[in-house]
Amino acid sequence: MTSKTLLSFFVLIFFALTLQTYSQTSSLYIPRNIQKAFEKGTRSYDGKPGPNYWQNGSDYKIHAEVNPITSILSGVETITYHNNSPDTLKRIVVRLYQNVMKPGSVRDWPFNPDAFTDGVKLDYFLINGDTINVSPKSKEVRVSSTNMFVKLKNPLAPGDSLKINAKWSFEISEKVPIRMGNYKDGDFFVAYWYPQMSVYDDIDGWDILNYQGNVEFYNDFSNYDVSITVPNGYTIWAAGELQNGSQVLKEDIYKRYLQAKQSDETIHIITAEDRKNNNVTADNEKNTWHFVAKDVTDFTFALSKSFVWDGAGIEVDKKTGRRVLTDVVYKDSTMFWDTGAQIERTTINYLSNVLPGYPYPYPHITSFCNKGRGGGMESPMMTNDGAPTNKARFIGLLFHEIAHSYFPFIMGINERKYAWMDEGWASFFPQETVDSLVPGYDYLKRNVHGYESTAGMESELPPMVVSYSNKSRYMRTAFYSRPSNAYRELELLLGRKLFKKALLDYITNWHGHHPIPYDFFFTFNRVTGEDLSWFWKPWFFEFGYPDLGIENVTVKNDTIEVKIKKIGNIPTRVEVTFIFNDGTQGKTELSSRIWKNSTVTILVKYKTDKKLSKVLLGNKHIPDSNRKNNEFIVK
């Protein structure tokens, strides 16, 4: 036996023992397809990528042109797809997202027929130089809504790659701008726009879920070299770094752009006066903007001939001095947006240095205002946001969409199946920032109320029900409020120090990879040194709701005894407040671990010689779907 073979043998033995140890300490239900991933060693029961983990990726070279008058985007692209899997691929799956606008495509809600378009028009599609017949009668291609299935003449072997060349076009919708669109007056945010390789992974093979309007991202980490041509006067902002800024921007504008990167104060890169004087872009009939983005899960861009542009910089890594540009693009005088660059700075500082405490890894974050009332959409380095007229909601919106840079973009989460793995975190992180900038708003109180008011309803589904199948009116409960409340309870259970340690371990090990829920669960189990299945099960797997109630209160000599019953199955921390006749108060707090061993009732004791007036259970920051049983008045 060679030394190399011997080493491999011991690695396999160690991995097998690790699997046995961690599998024995978890009683979570694991579906059969996911069990196979653990058996094959692509996943590990310690929450880390397994020794046989792999993922595929692509290199995209795209040249697109947008005609703002006709709202037509046309492009040519070359995709080099790398098969890093151990499987020989006999077909590929390509996403044609804008087919969602075609008559007959599957959608999550009905469209007005006036909004229909022809979807994606493919002028040609080549694989390794061979022209592929993409007509409806083709025997090698089948198009099903937004997925195009292509049989390979020559199967793609492990470790090999193939090259795709395509030319396509589609109409950017003005009537139904789903997550992107033509927002009138020459203002566009463009996403879901190019023929894109679907994900082939170790869990399901090819991702063949259609884009129907609701489902969001699940993409490989890829490299992009993108050139976009637009008429004179239009400015483009995009994922990645602008490569030819000095050629497409006027000299003064380009200098301000560079200055903003180094300035802690907001620099007005493009002002309303600049727009009025047509003093923004190079004096060509058309300008081609060139961007490069590496190791990202998608590429989006925005364009406008009238929006102003503010930016500032912030250092995110003290070791290297690396700075990030935080910039906002909006219609002049839109409420609160003139503060946007600084809100972004505060957000990036919090995410980089407080929670999760992982330095923002990209060169910029650009927030584009789509002029709507609210709501937003995330993409790597770019967000597409509305314009709330409430300051706290504005700050929360910008923070929420930027937080998605971590989940799902630093970590390539499958939002189509597990929306809660990113929406929950994006709803959890903004609390401290929003409350510090808008005193009295109480972000957590609102988030708790949103959850407890819908928890336990008949159509409220647990987060672990795959997201694409959740069409319930309460799907936002499963995606947003329930997991964000679970993360809050988990932080208070573990303490911030241990919570942050586990979270950073999770991000570090899965940065640039595709984690699934079990990778998250098992990471926290390993880092905390305990099996948290008692917490994971009710919060993420089970139907149920949080409800604690006061069952009885007795006073014996100098001791008050409060019997508390756990009526709902969702575990939360316990807070009991004792109010005395003299107006003073006492308080007892217990972590949610009190419910770990399937305990249903607990007895809380409080010693005092004061006369009791009232007992209150819980507070506005602890989820409780029935607060009518949370008060006991001494008669």
Side-chain angles (χ1 to χ4, degrees), residues 276-445:
K276 181 180 178 181
N277 296 330
N278 195 26
N279 187 36
V280 176
T281 64
D283 294 322
N284 301 308
E285 181 181 353
K286 295 180 180 180
N287 287 310
T288 298
W289 301 64
H290 182 202
F291 299 88
V292 170
K294 295 185 177 181
D295 200 27
V296 295
T297 55
D298 207 353
F299 189 99
T300 62
F301 66 95
L303 61 144
S304 174
K305 63 179 179 180
S306 61
F307 276 14
V308 297
W309 182 15
D310 296 339
I314 183 171
E315 183 181 274
V316 296
D317 192 336
K318 293 181 180 179
K319 293 181 180 179
T320 64
R322 183 171 61 84
R323 292 180 67 86
V324 168
L325 174 66
T326 60
D327 58 325
V328 290
V329 182
Y330 59 98
K331 183 179 179 180
D332 188 37
S333 300
T334 304
M335 185 177 291
F336 301 123
W337 274 85
D338 60 333
T339 66
Q342 291 301 317
I343 298 301
E344 286 189 331
R345 284 190 86 251
T346 302
T347 297
I348 292 296
N349 179 65
Y350 184 91
L351 293 168
S352 298
N353 297 302
V354 184
L355 278 179
Y358 190 96
Y360 181 83
Y362 306 118
H364 72 89
I365 179 65
T366 304
S367 295
F368 172 90
C369 176
N370 60 38
K371 302 179 289 190
R373 286 192 236 170
M377 183 63 203
E378 72 279 4
S379 59
M381 290 175 262
M382 297 285 293
T383 70
N384 179 13
D385 302 313
T389 56
N390 175 286
K391 183 179 180 181
R393 290 183 180 179
F394 171 73
I395 296 169
L397 173 61
L398 260 61
F399 196 123
H400 179 103
E401 303 305 341
I402 292 172
H404 280 302
S405 300
Y406 289 75
F407 307 88
F409 300 133
I410 288 179
M411 310 164 75
I413 290 165
N414 186 347
E415 289 185 273
R416 295 167 167 228
K417 291 172 69 175
Y418 315 116
W420 61 270
M421 289 184 71
D422 74 297
E423 296 294 357
W425 288 112
S427 301
F428 167 81
F429 286 127
Q431 177 207 331
E432 293 177 350
T433 297
V434 173
D435 286 346
S436 68
L437 296 177
V438 188
Y441 182 73
D442 204 338
Y443 180 97
L444 182 57
K445 174 186 175 182

Side-chain angles (χ1 to χ4, degrees), residues 30 116 123 175 177 239 255 289 301 358 375 377 510 528 530 598:
I30 303 178
F116 288 153
D123 293 328
K175 295 180 179 179
K255 285 181 178 178
W289 301 64
F301 66 95
Y358 190 96
M377 183 63 203
W510 289 98
T528 61
E530 68 171 306
S598 301

Side-chain angles (χ1 to χ4, degrees), residues 259-266 311-315 323 342 345:
Q259 182 185 1
K261 293 183 176 184
Q262 302 304 319
S263 173
D264 291 341
E265 302 300 321
T266 299
I314 183 171
E315 183 181 274
R323 292 180 67 86
Q342 291 301 317
R345 284 190 86 251

Side-chain angles (χ1 to χ4, degrees), residues 29 83 118 130 152 160 206 363 390 405 429 541 588 599 630:
Y29 166 73
N83 180 20
D118 295 327
D130 292 335
L152 296 178
D160 206 349
W206 286 109
N390 175 286
S405 300
F429 286 127
F541 289 79
T588 297
T599 305
N630 288 13

Side-chain angles (χ1 to χ4, degrees), residues 549-562:
I550 298 174
E551 195 165 75
N552 191 30
V553 176
T554 58
V555 180
K556 298 178 180 179
N557 299 321
D558 62 347
T559 302
I560 303 170
E561 294 185 351
V562 182

Side-chain angles (χ1 to χ4, degrees), residues 115-126:
F116 288 153
T117 71
D118 295 327
V120 179
K121 295 181 179 179
L122 276 175
D123 293 328
Y124 62 72
F125 190 87
L126 286 72

